[in-house]
Amino acid sequence: MTTNNSAPVSGSIMVVGGGISGLTTALEAAEVGYEVFLIEKEASLGGRVSQLKHYFPKLCPPTCGLEINYRRIKDNKNIKVFTMTEVQNVAGTPGDYTVTVKTAPRYVNENCTACGECASVCETEISNEFNFGMDRRKAAYLPHNLAFPMRYVIDPSMGTDDRDKVKEACKYDAVDFDMEEKTIDLKVGAVVWSTGWQPYDATRIDNLGFGRYQNIITNMMLERMASSNGPTLGQIVRPSDDKAPATIAFAQCAGSRDENHLPYCSYICCMASLKHATYLREQYPDAKITIYYIDLRAPGLKYEKFYAKLKEDENIFFIKGKVAEVSEDETTGNIDLVAEDTITGDKIRQNVDLLVLATGMQPTAAIDKPAADLNYDAEGFIVNDFSKGGMFAAGCANKPADVVTSNQNATGMALKAIQTLVRR
Amino acid sequence: MDKKYGVYICTGCGIGDTLDIEDLVEIPEEEGINCTTHPCLCSKEGAALIQKDVDEGKVNAMVIGACSRRVNFDVFRFDNCLVERVNLREGVVWPHSRETYPALTQEQKDDEEHFDRIQMKAEDYLKMGMIRLEKVKLPTPYTPESFSKKILVLGGGITGMAAALDAAKTGYDVTLVEKTDALGGYAAKLRSQMPVSAPFETLQAPVVDKMIQELEGYPTIDVRTNCEVARIAGQPGEFTVTFKKPGERIPFDVPFPLPEEMMVDETGKELGPEAAHEKFLEYNEGRLDILKLDPEGELYGAVILAAGWRPADLSKENYAHLGLDLPDVVTNHEFEMLAAQGKIVRPSDGKPAKNVVFIQSPGKDEDDADFDYAGSVTSQVALKQARYVTEDYTDGRAYVIYQHMRTPGLQEYFYKSMQQEDGIFMTKGAVTGVETQGDNLAVTAVNTLLGENLALKADMVVVAAGMVPVTKDDPVVNLAYRQGPGFRDNDIFGQYADSNFICFPYETQRTGIYAAGAIRRAMTIEESIEDATGAALKAIQCVESANRGMAVHPRSGDMTFPEFFFQRCTQCKRCTVECPFGALDDDEKGTPKANHTRCRRCGTCMGACPERIISFADYTIDSIGSQVKAVGVPSEDDFDEPPLRFLALICENDAFPALDMVGLNRMDYSPDVRFIPVRCLGSVNVIWIKDALAQGMDGVILIGCKHGDDYQCHMVKGSELAELRVKKIGDALSSLALEEERVAFVEVAIDEYDKLPKIINDFVEEVDALGPNPFKGF
């Protein structure tokens, strides 16, 4: 399509984090006419949402919106995308920052056609982090089938034998082991941090047995299993024996709303579990699903309607009460859980094929603190100071939120960044 | 544009291995067009080769037969040139391999029995690319004659003020319109509000006053109270707005479309167009037509709709068990008004309200939903108001009975903090009755956390009524658009003015009009202020695109726009009615007037027009139609058993990327189908289907995005309209003695690409069973 993007404005904005929030901030600012540097540490844009099968409540694929956003990137000369890149340091003041970024070597250059030959000859395998370690992938891999850029990556752990094989196999001269890490300085007027979130480490929740018993998984792991590009090609099965689960329980607030872990509510887990119930129901029409909750947070017309539909399902049960203890039935691999039905006061013991922990979200910046002068709350969310300006947090870097709210927030942060430039 | 054609074919990525490049090259050369091949066109030398030709003036309209247009977009970008990407890689050689379709030997090439399906597909695509180049041109951008970058904000509450401030801080002039006599909206009436910043633990004074003060410091914000919008005419960048005093009746009030009941006569028969028009004029007596421009109207660039909400009126609801008609049973709104005046006292006798019960859900023990339009705000308001009780009275006691305490995200801190207040008690429970008990009230609840049924004595009872968006009562924006004054399809959202896209929350069905705050869903003050900032960005982005002739989302940057050959218009009004964005207004005769900056360039109008008078610079009936006609349709004159031929029109938003994915994954499907990407299935004109069948093609399939209430279609209605048109074409087909099944419509999401080969093959099989198109070879 023919476009004209000559910017009538001046100044550059940096967006750190190329997930859905970062993409939104970057595109919205670029379409007003500003130059934007989009920095992403992974090999592909898309972030956390590219690991999801569907969004609630429409049950639509995230790749739909991502594809439109990638097209907008392609049509806009104002956006420069840097993958495999992290911010090393931010110096300066609002309106005048010098940001040092470091790009790790991909060992694959722009000649790559994603033909896959390198992966087929490579023998080294590594854990597939895109699937939370549920399967392995070759050390030469495509981040996922809808990656942007659509280019392979080679893990530095690849041995010399494989390196030779891979280099030979590539018909396009795209493999380059001489690539080195590159550090450059970029001058920008404003920085928006959209570094997103990580699933809370469920092994820290002692009483919920994650990591000890195979058939206890997290909500994000279920999301990967349900995805057609996941470790099981879309089939939700029990890790211990690959069997279809007939009874499934969800433990809500696994780590959230908990003084010992995350004191806040992670916003999306109630809706996510409801969504997961629809995934399960689609595959297993007769499966019995029990959701153990403290409060079911499905606020707003659209979410209420979604919840109401699920309430009509006779094989989905909602119990107010936290799952307190779990153990494994060694002969079957089933999970024995103990919960309290806080309404009746009864202790519930349930034996299920699969237990899903609705683990919460932790801001990535809490674990991997940016080298910049930012304000944080006690849990690591970046707090916005609009009077100071210059740097802002968008999406889940700022607060736990769903995609709609993150995108509203990210659109707003594009404006805040522009205001910093304009006030210069 | 004096076109200089050139064809470039890349032989890399398997293209040269699979295809007979010599035969391919003959196609342009037969027409005297220079054809260059290169083993890797996307390399530096490859791109430089093309650039050199461009610089030397040898080519400005080129076909690049290589990879999909979705990749190497930056490499194959040549300014002021027409570039047609012919998808030989993902579209031909990657899905179809020589193992499955072996190459022909020389003898086989010459006989009439064998044919090379892969080569045929490649040759057809090349011809289609070449013919398209002949039919299109580079666009000249359109800018409105008069242009304004001023932002109009409707609503002077928190959201409107925040939006106005944000736009002003970015350097734009703003007019803030408020229909009452004071700024502040609902937020100005509160005693206190929920916290807007970390640590989110305590109530705070309403931020409204500070905001009003801040607003006064901006001379670029023109505040008009006691002011309403009578109509907004025109288009983004050139909105002509008429203001009036609330309640006034003026000639420039916006006309409303005839309500459905009035579109029929006494017998129930639908009125003819003239009779309907007469009734319409009668119904709108005193109101000038939408096309009459107000000479006193003021010019604006974009509009932010922040007109907010009103408290729900529960009187009509069937909540007999809640005792709503008792004087001491009030809504959360009424309670707030009492609290704002001073210490909370009972409406019945003015005595202190020390024991107050808050009821969150009306569903008894049958349904755990909150009241309509409540969202998560009413949960938080109940906590806030419970705190009022303990603020006012040291022995005050507040009981909050909820089904689900909705304090999502960081609002959880507020909940925790209120849980620690002495005097505030909370429990899950189903309230079954509120009745008088002497001077007080008795509230009964079951299924509580306290192990037993609850019977509470209360001085007052507060029910958590919802926040109804004002668009439920009134369109508010009053657009002087032929399709009507309000947003379309708000009934999908319960009358909220919202977008139906999770990824694109501001993209409503009216370009240049952005909704923010409680008018789009129940929001807290903190959420509303944040939403306002986003809406301000979108409004600014809209004016900064319209002034360059560029479309906004989703075809951001597109500079083409629909052009009409009015001499052949038959005033059927189909384009005006079907445009999802209301971009067309028709005059009394029915001739459409295009408002280009309202337009999102989807082409639905082009698809709708039975006379085919609408076109875009690079997208016309002919540009697609000639591609259809360029497809070779072999018949029994060519081969003993000729292959079938199919046309597939695929939406470029989801279906085309999905097809690329199929190729990338080397999945095979019938090579007898010719795919043409279209801007939206709504832009598909049935003439293309008829052309395909008249040519002898055996079937036509349309593949696009999901429609319905949960629509995925990025152009809202396109996919739905396409399906309707396909159904109607069934009649035309039978009159030609062709089976309905030859034309199909399928919805595919981008992540369902793995199902696409089967979908295509099933269609091919179904048509195969019908036999070849009898028109083949004619």
Side-chain angles (χ1 to χ4, degrees):
Chain A
M1 144 167 74
T2 39
T3 60
N4 167 20
N5 306 112
S6 49
V9 296
S10 72
S12 314
I13 298 169
M14 176 177 286
V15 178
V16 182
I20 191 75
S21 297
L23 276 170
T24 301
T25 301
L27 283 165
E28 298 301 341
E31 286 176 5
V32 177
Y34 288 85
E35 179 181 48
V36 180
F37 300 109
L38 180 55
I39 311 292
E40 167 55 48
K41 75 177 180 204
E42 300 291 338
S44 165
L45 298 179
R48 213 43 85 188
V49 302
S50 51
Q51 289 175 298
L52 304 178
K53 171 181 156 84
H54 283 157
Y55 287 141
F56 51 74
K58 282 174 79 174
L59 299 178
C60 50
T63 39
C64 173
L66 286 175
E67 172 70 24
I68 293 270
N69 281 338
Y70 297 154
R71 198 174 86 192
R72 289 161 78 195
I73 291 180
K74 293 172 195 177
D75 287 331
N76 195 320
K77 291 187 262 196
N78 291 343
I79 301 190
K80 284 140 182 96
V81 177
F82 294 75
T83 51
M84 317 258 328
T85 304
E86 286 184 73
V87 169
Q88 297 298 111
N89 187 55
V90 178
T93 51
D96 189 12
Y97 293 107
T98 303
V99 185
T100 310
V101 298
K102 184 170 81 170
T103 303
R106 187 187 278 251
Y107 301 120
V108 176
N109 61 33
E110 327 79 63
N111 293 348
C112 176
T113 62
C115 70
E117 275 307 303
C118 51
S120 46
V121 303
C122 170
E123 284 181 28
T124 317
E125 282 191 344
I126 54 175
S127 174
N128 187 345
E129 287 320 304
F130 188 72
N131 290 333
F132 298 106
M134 285 191 282
D135 64 350
R136 297 176 76 66
R137 56 185 169 190
K138 299 289 185 68
Y141 62 94
L142 195 62
H144 57 87
N145 58 354
L146 278 139
F148 184 93
M150 182 66 79
R151 199 179 296 170
Y152 270 66
V153 196
I154 294 179
D155 191 86
S157 70
M158 186 187 274
T160 359
D161 278 348
D162 269 338
R163 288 191 180 206
D164 293 336
K165 278 195 220 145
V166 154
K167 192 149 171 75
E168 215 193 293
C170 181
K171 294 192 278 235
Y172 306 102
D173 211 7
V175 176
D176 179 4
F177 287 108
D178 292 328
M179 268 191 197
E180 282 174 354
E181 80 184 20
K182 247 190 327 200
T183 302
I184 58 171
D185 280 347
L186 291 167
K187 284 197 110 11
V188 298
V191 183
V192 179
W193 298 88
S194 45
T195 45
W197 60 279
Q198 294 179 357
Y200 183 66
D201 180 2
T203 56
R204 306 178 78 171
I205 317 169
D206 291 327
N207 62 322
L208 291 181
F210 181 73
R212 292 205 299 280
Y213 309 127
Q214 277 195 294
N215 293 323
I216 300 186
I217 62 173
T218 63
N219 44 11
M220 282 306 281
M221 288 165 73
L222 183 74
E223 196 74 47
R224 292 311 306 137
M225 275 210 275
S227 302
S228 58
N229 64 356
T232 55
L233 303 180
Q235 281 302 114
I236 303 170
V237 293
R238 284 158 40 105
S240 67
D241 52 13
D242 287 340
K243 286 220 186 88
T247 52
I248 305 104
F250 285 83
Q252 295 309 110
C253 300
S256 303
R257 300 182 68 184
D258 190 332
E259 283 305 330
N260 302 313
H261 302 283
L262 307 174
Y264 51 83
C265 159
S266 290
Y267 204 108
I268 52 170
C269 337
C270 283
M271 284 304 295
S273 292
L274 294 179
K275 177 183 60 161
H276 292 157
T278 62
Y279 290 172
L280 285 163
R281 181 57 75 233
E282 203 187 16
Q283 284 185 24
Y284 307 120
D286 300 315
K288 288 193 162 19
I289 301 164
T290 311
I291 300 181
Y292 292 92
Y293 69 89
I294 309 178
D295 293 286
L296 261 173
R297 292 178 172 176
L301 183 87
K302 299 177 191 181
Y303 291 174
E304 292 269 11
K305 275 204 315 210
F306 190 69
Y307 174 40
K309 241 185 21 191
L310 282 165
K311 282 189 274 187
E312 288 170 14
D313 186 317
E314 286 175 359
N315 278 327
I316 300 183
F317 311 97
F318 297 95
I319 298 180
K320 182 170 166 76
K322 270 189 96 160
V323 172
E325 271 170 50
V326 300
S327 55
E328 189 187 47
D329 177 343
E330 274 169 33
T331 39
T332 56
N334 281 21
I335 303 298
D336 284 312
L337 63 86
V338 179
E340 196 204 338
D341 181 332
T342 48
I343 303 282
T344 62
D346 297 331
K347 239 200 177 68
I348 301 178
R349 288 184 152 60
Q350 202 185 0
N351 179 289
V352 291
D353 293 335
L354 184 67
L355 173 62
V356 184
L357 304 182
T359 43
M361 61 160 81
Q362 230 186 340
T364 304
I367 300 163
D368 194 3
K369 233 184 175 117
D373 182 22
L374 295 165
N375 296 325
Y376 301 87
D377 77 355
E379 299 309 316
F381 290 104
I382 301 171
V383 175
N384 280 318
D385 180 352
F386 297 127
S387 49
K388 181 172 169 209
M391 295 207 284
F392 310 94
C396 293
N398 174 244
K399 57 177 178 284
D402 55 5
V403 175
V404 172
T405 312
S406 294
N407 286 356
Q408 281 168 240
N409 166 295
T411 307
M413 293 309 115
L415 189 67
K416 294 296 185 189
I418 292 172
Q419 282 171 1
T420 302
L421 298 183
V422 162
R423 280 194 325 222
R424 244 179 351 168
Chain B
M1 179 187 184
D2 180 21
K3 289 186 198 166
K4 301 190 186 63
Y5 299 99
V7 173
Y8 301 86
I9 299 181
C10 181
T11 54
C13 289
I15 296 174
D17 300 329
T18 307
L19 301 175
D20 185 332
I21 299 293
E22 266 177 44
D23 279 353
L24 263 188
V25 168
E26 262 174 46
I27 292 172
E29 296 204 327
E30 265 168 14
E31 301 199 16
I33 296 174
N34 189 42
C35 183
T36 314
T37 62
H38 190 281
C40 186
L41 264 182
C42 61
S43 65
K44 285 202 179 62
E45 308 105 41
L49 194 142
I50 304 177
Q51 187 67 56
K52 186 161 172 288
D53 286 349
V54 171
D55 293 338
E56 291 175 2
K58 291 193 192 152
V59 71
N60 60 13
M62 66 188 89
V63 165
I64 297 181
C67 41
S68 163
R69 65 195 196 182
R70 290 172 59 252
V71 298
N72 285 320
F73 42 90
D74 43 348
V75 175
F76 297 127
R77 183 184 267 150
F78 302 100
D79 289 332
N80 299 315
C81 290
L82 285 166
V83 177
E84 172 66 13
R85 301 282 299 273
V86 168
N87 195 351
L88 294 177
R89 192 181 77 170
E90 286 88 329
V92 182
V93 303
W94 274 7
H96 315 305
S97 71
R98 281 299 175 201
E99 276 90 62
T100 324
Y101 310 98
L104 301 184
T105 61
Q106 197 51 53
E107 296 107 50
Q108 286 176 325
K109 278 192 199 180
D110 297 329
D111 70 20
E112 283 191 8
E113 199 191 312
H114 295 91
F115 42 83
D116 182 345
R117 295 158 93 174
I118 305 182
Q119 185 74 14
M120 286 168 130
K121 187 172 183 181
E123 293 185 357
D124 275 346
Y125 275 176
L126 190 55
K127 290 181 193 156
M128 287 155 76
M130 286 165 58
I131 196 79
R132 180 177 171 265
L133 272 186
E134 287 180 33
K135 306 292 179 170
V136 300
K137 52 186 203 264
L138 289 171
T140 33
Y142 162 86
T143 32
E145 281 170 18
S146 42
F147 198 91
S148 168
K149 289 196 188 185
K150 269 166 76 170
I151 313 286
L152 175 63
V153 179
L154 301 185
I158 280 281
T159 308
M161 291 197 290
L165 280 167
D166 263 319
K169 285 179 186 167
T170 318
Y172 290 79
D173 288 349
V174 182
T175 298
L176 177 57
V177 166
E178 165 55 43
K179 74 177 183 201
T180 68
D181 57 4
L183 291 177
Y186 197 84
K189 305 181 197 162
L190 308 172
R191 172 198 279 200
S192 311
Q193 63 169 74
M194 274 102 68
V196 293
S197 53
F200 296 103
E201 283 170 5
T202 52
L203 307 185
Q204 62 173 88
V207 295
V208 162
D209 295 325
K210 267 216 318 238
M211 220 180 235
I212 296 178
Q213 262 180 9
E214 208 188 337
L215 212 73
E216 285 165 6
Y218 280 89
T220 48
I221 303 179
D222 170 17
V223 177
R224 301 185 199 180
T225 49
N226 273 316
C227 184
E228 238 180 20
V229 161
R231 73 161 64 181
I232 299 178
Q235 53 183 345
E238 203 185 32
F239 281 123
T240 300
V241 182
T242 308
F243 298 102
K244 68 171 187 181
K245 286 207 180 22
E248 237 192 311
R249 276 175 166 271
I250 62 170
F252 280 105
D253 274 330
V254 75
F256 276 65
L258 265 187
E260 263 183 58
E261 324 82 73
M262 294 183 69
M263 304 253 269
V264 296
D265 63 17
E266 311 83 54
T267 63
K269 200 177 108 190
E270 204 179 304
L271 293 174
E274 273 173 26
H277 189 65
E278 253 194 66
K279 249 204 182 158
F280 169 77
L281 291 174
E282 222 185 280
Y283 184 67
N284 286 298
E285 213 190 295
R287 297 196 270 244
L288 293 166
D289 182 65
I290 58 157
L291 291 177
K292 186 109 183 67
L293 222 56
D294 181 357
E296 317 268 305
E298 298 176 44
L299 213 58
Y300 288 92
V303 179
I304 296 174
L305 174 61
W309 61 283
R310 58 153 174 89
D313 173 8
L314 297 182
S315 58
K316 301 188 200 78
E317 306 294 338
N318 189 12
Y319 298 136
H321 66 290
L322 292 176
L324 290 173
D325 44 355
L326 298 171
D328 295 325
V329 178
V330 301
T331 62
N332 44 11
H333 158 65
E334 290 163 342
F335 191 78
E336 190 70 38
M337 297 300 104
L338 285 171
Q341 284 162 25
K343 283 201 177 175
I344 303 160
V345 293
R346 289 152 45 99
S348 61
D349 55 13
K351 291 213 180 101
K354 291 191 185 179
N355 291 301
V356 183
V357 175
F358 294 86
I359 301 177
Q360 300 306 105
S361 281
K364 295 200 243 189
D365 53 351
E366 291 150 24
D367 184 17
D368 64 345
D370 277 3
F371 286 84
D372 283 340
Y373 295 105
S376 61
V377 184
T378 54
S379 286
Q380 298 171 56
V381 168
L383 295 175
K384 177 183 76 158
Q385 293 178 340
R387 183 73 184 96
Y388 287 172
V389 175
T390 59
E391 260 175 11
D392 287 353
Y393 306 109
T394 43
D395 52 343
R397 275 175 157 59
Y399 302 85
V400 182
I401 308 178
Y402 62 84
Q403 286 284 20
H404 299 282
M405 181 50 71
R406 289 124 172 244
T407 51
L410 300 182
Q411 295 300 338
E412 180 69 15
Y413 295 142
F414 183 57
Y415 177 33
K416 283 209 316 220
S417 157
M418 291 302 111
Q419 279 176 312
Q420 266 138 40
E421 290 290 330
D422 291 331
I424 300 183
F425 304 93
M426 311 187 204
T427 177
K428 180 177 167 88
V431 171
T432 45
V434 176
E435 281 160 359
T436 46
Q437 194 179 77
D439 279 341
N440 306 97
L441 298 162
V443 179
T444 44
V446 300
N447 298 336
T448 71
L449 297 177
L450 308 172
E452 61 217 9
N453 292 343
L454 209 58
L456 288 169
K457 200 169 93 158
D459 297 325
M460 275 185 81
V461 168
V462 183
V463 295
M467 300 160 65
V468 181
V470 297
T471 31
K472 188 153 168 51
D473 308 323
D474 192 90
V476 185
V477 274
N478 289 336
L479 296 168
Y481 284 19
R482 191 59 75 204
Q483 280 185 3
F487 287 93
R488 271 171 71 153
D489 296 341
N490 277 355
D491 39 294
I492 307 179
F493 317 117
Q495 298 306 330
Y496 285 110
D498 204 353
S499 136
N500 206 10
F501 299 117
I502 292 170
C503 305
F504 311 109
Y506 294 101
E507 304 304 339
T508 64
Q509 291 180 29
R510 290 292 177 256
T511 311
I513 319 277
Y514 301 98
I519 205 167
R520 67 136 107 233
R521 66 170 180 273
M523 282 194 196
T524 60
I525 289 174
E526 185 221 352
E527 292 170 326
S528 300
I529 294 174
E530 188 174 88
D531 199 17
T533 311
L537 175 321
K538 293 304 281 186
I540 290 169
Q541 189 190 76
C542 183
V543 302
E544 294 296 350
S545 301
N547 66 348
R548 293 181 271 164
M550 284 168 36
V552 290
H553 182 98
R555 295 186 59 85
S556 319
D558 187 354
M559 288 198 293
T560 67
F561 51 87
E563 294 166 90
F564 292 72
F565 188 67
F566 287 114
Q567 284 92 311
R568 282 205 347 249
C569 173
T570 57
Q571 286 83 26
C572 74
K573 303 193 208 178
R574 221 170 283 183
C575 56
T576 305
V577 167
E578 291 189 359
C579 172
F581 309 106
L584 303 167
D585 298 322
D586 56 345
D587 61 16
E588 336 72 66
K589 292 203 222 87
T591 311
K593 171 171 178 279
N595 298 282
H596 294 316
T597 57
R598 289 188 209 168
C599 174
R600 302 222 196 143
R601 308 353 190 224
C602 65
T604 296
C605 49
M606 184 171 96
C609 182
E611 297 302 313
R612 305 180 293 283
I613 71 167
I614 305 176
S615 64
F616 296 75
D618 66 354
Y619 188 56
T620 70
I621 299 282
D622 201 16
S623 76
I624 304 289
S626 11
Q627 286 185 67
V628 174
K629 294 180 196 139
V631 174
V633 183
S635 67
E636 282 170 358
D637 297 336
D638 308 295
F639 302 104
D640 304 330
E641 280 179 48
L644 296 175
R645 258 311 154 263
F646 298 89
L647 173 67
L649 296 163
I650 55 177
C651 153
E652 65 183 17
N653 302 302
D654 273 19
F656 177 61
L659 194 69
D660 262 5
M661 293 303 304
V662 172
L664 186 79
N665 287 283
R666 311 295 195 277
M667 298 162 78
D668 191 34
Y669 49 91
S670 167
D672 299 332
V673 185
R674 301 295 174 259
F675 293 86
I676 301 181
V678 294
R679 289 185 180 188
C680 172
L681 281 194
S683 68
V684 170
N685 192 294
V686 295
I687 195 68
W688 300 335
I689 302 176
K690 292 186 189 157
D691 282 346
L693 296 170
Q695 275 236 101
M697 289 204 215
D698 303 284
V700 180
I701 183 167
L702 273 59
I703 309 180
C705 309
K706 192 168 129 171
H707 55 261
D709 275 3
D710 273 339
Y711 61 82
Q712 281 304 96
C713 177
H714 293 276
M715 305 300 184
V716 183
K717 291 283 177 195
S719 173
E720 191 182 305
L721 288 166
E723 185 167 33
L724 282 170
R725 291 178 200 154
V726 162
K727 285 209 184 104
K728 284 198 204 155
I729 216 184
D731 303 324
L733 290 180
S734 10
S735 70
L736 294 169
L738 285 172
E739 302 88 332
E740 259 179 30
E741 292 81 4
R742 292 189 185 271
V743 181
F745 171 92
V746 166
E747 290 170 339
V748 155
I750 193 174
D751 66 332
E752 295 176 321
Y753 70 84
D754 52 336
K755 305 200 179 90
L756 204 44
K758 183 166 189 299
I759 291 174
I760 297 167
N761 291 341
D762 282 352
F763 174 65
V764 166
E765 243 180 72
E766 209 185 301
V767 174
D768 193 7
L770 300 171
N773 182 339
F775 289 102
K776 218 187 276 278
F778 270 31

